[in-house]
Amino acid sequence: MQENETFDVVVVGSGSAGAMAALRAADQGLKVLIIEKAQKFGGTSATSGGVMWIPNHQLDGDQGDSREATLQYVDSLIGKPVNRERLEAFVDEAPKMLAYLKSTGVQVAAAAWPDYYPSNPGARADRSVIVPTFDGRDLGDNRYALMREQYNRFKLFGRYAMDLTETFTLMMQSKGWRGVAAKVIARYWMDRSTRAVSHRDKRFTSGAALMGATYKAVFDRGAELRMETKLDRLLVDDAGRVTGVEVSNFGRTYTINARHGVVLAAGGFEWNQELRDRFYPVPGLTRHSSTPEDANRGEGLIAAEAIGASTEHTEAGWWIPTMQLPMPGASNFHEIHQAAFDVGRPWSVVLNRNGDRFVDEACGYDQFGQAMVADHQKTGANMPCWLIFDAKFRKKFSAGGLMPTVHTPEKKVPEDWWDHYVFRANTIEDLAKKIHLPVDKVKEQVRKIGEYSKTGIDPEFGRGMNPYDQMFGDPTVTPNPNLGPIDTAPFYAVPINNGDLGTKGGLRCDARARVLDQAGNPIAGLYAAGNQSGTPFGDVYPGAGATIGPAMTFGYIAANDIAERSGNQRA
């Protein structure tokens, strides 16, 4: 490592946006450096579900999707002004990005995952794309253990990797689930060669599969990755062009020059309470985010604002309901658990602190979070809200980090959890008193859920009455897989916070991923992608993978623009 080094392109951040920008730029013959402030690479993307929302991808030939259908769908959703050219650039370039990714050797497949607003015109159930299981050892033993690991919640017993099919089979305790669990465990322990290298399962699934496969292509093309290297500021010449970065490594500061461009792809600002307080109408706490702890603090946004960059869509995150529990073996520390699908299961209801329902509990997790914000602005009685459920639910489903009784029977629940993190009572009345909700209202809401479960019709919010809701319900429960009577003691409640998967807003960019100044003009040499930039969708989350899909697409677009301006563009 030398002082004042020079690369053609410097990419800040090692998540999906940065990985794609680096991959494409390297494939264009440019000398690329990725800097990552953490001790692990892969960013938030490596810990995610690894889904890309890619409309009109044509993976299996013409499936009937189109540019027109996609725009019809997103236009029916977006409720605030967006950059139309940028939105259309995503729709047009996303299929090209995916085709390019495939050409580098990364395997991809369409998933049968309904768009989050399945009743809207143009909605489909095949726009979400995943990467099959990747053998992490293919990264090389010197890198295999350095990619960010999936959270414990995405592994069986916090150790064994599961793909999406295995996850849903175990989550729902579907037929043959015990055999699936045995296979997952046996597969891990039979892999003795990997056990000699690391405790980590060599099977990279979900986000780890996406990032593992992509980084194999990145490394094969000679791009350099440098960890423990934090962006401090952007370097600008007298003409206002970004020419490089000043970085720090364990307190030592030095500069790296970028001949042709800097791509900011270092995630959002969800772990920066000052920025949350500045931008969000209901700020919430950094602590409730489900992204890697203290990772995305908005350094790229801060550095860009310091040279005149503008921002957009910063008033919202990619919301997801979360709850917290003490970490196993370290009770003074807490772990955040997603509850995205738990809140819409049968035999449960979600209430605000006034004892009122406020949303179709089984809706998309971002819609759920938006409803929490709106209800709190209206009533002041949300954030947290309460998930209330009975013994039937407890036996079969998780409630955030509280695993079902087949995994965590009552006697194995730590004593300090009861009535502090998880509340339990033998009657609904006593449960409502414990969590300080109005008893009569809670009883009435429970009664109504019981009535709705008989008819299968939720006249208030339509819970379980669309394909997305039903996908995460229980098919053995009829007539509505998301509704069941809350009638079997004991009864339980857990507080639900408005967590996130990152921030929706960030640096304002144009259709070429160039960062714009306050006047709307591109800042020469500066690009942004992923949650470092504003989403092209404004205030909505159209489908699974609507964070990573645009992140990789605009990383691809940024690299293409840099290559074209430098005279290095190839086919």
Side-chain angles (χ1 to χ4, degrees), residues 228-415:
E228 300 96 36
T229 303
K230 174 181 171 292
L231 172 69
D232 288 336
R233 68 184 181 94
L234 296 166
L235 306 179
V236 183
D237 65 16
D238 292 340
R241 177 182 181 82
V242 172
T243 60
V245 293
E246 181 179 279
V247 301
S248 56
N249 167 256
F250 293 110
R252 182 179 67 88
T253 300
Y254 65 101
T255 60
I256 305 171
N257 300 312
R259 292 188 189 92
H260 302 304
V262 172
V263 181
L264 298 177
F269 57 83
E270 65 270 15
W271 281 95
N272 187 319
Q273 191 65 50
E274 182 179 348
L275 291 181
R276 293 178 75 104
D277 292 344
R278 170 185 164 191
F279 288 125
Y280 286 172
V282 182
L285 298 177
T286 59
R287 178 77 226 127
H288 299 150
S289 176
S290 69
T291 64
E293 185 172 3
D294 208 30
N296 299 323
R297 294 185 52 81
E299 289 95 344
L301 184 150
I302 293 167
E305 280 196 317
I307 65 167
S310 58
T311 61
E312 65 176 354
H313 307 320
T314 51
E315 67 282 354
W318 300 101
W319 304 127
I320 190 168
T322 63
M323 60 91 74
Q324 66 180 24
L325 287 173
M327 293 180 65
S331 65
N332 291 331
F333 296 88
H334 289 86
E335 188 171 8
I336 297 300
H337 298 271
Q338 294 177 356
F341 310 122
D342 304 342
V343 291
R345 307 291 196 195
W347 312 308
S348 71
V349 67
V350 175
L351 305 177
N352 68 13
R353 296 193 302 278
N354 290 333
D356 294 321
R357 287 180 74 203
F358 58 92
V359 69
D360 164 13
E361 295 93 333
C363 68
Y365 36 89
D366 184 65
Q367 294 169 258
F368 190 99
Q370 289 189 36
M372 288 183 71
V373 172
D375 184 67
H376 191 77
Q377 289 179 302
K378 177 182 177 182
T379 68
N382 213 308
M383 302 180 69
C385 54
W386 289 90
L387 170 62
I388 294 173
F389 53 98
D390 73 357
K392 301 190 301 297
F393 179 110
R394 169 85 179 94
K395 181 178 180 181
K396 188 165 188 178
F397 299 118
S398 60
L402 177 67
M403 293 294 103
T405 53
V406 68
H407 176 281
T408 308
E410 302 288 85
K411 64 182 180 181
K412 288 191 175 182
V413 176
E415 189 61 33

Side-chain angles (χ1 to χ4, degrees), residues 409-422:
E410 302 288 85
K411 64 182 180 181
K412 288 191 175 182
V413 176
E415 189 61 33
D416 60 323
W417 288 18
W418 292 120
D419 295 340
H420 298 283
Y421 301 92
V422 181

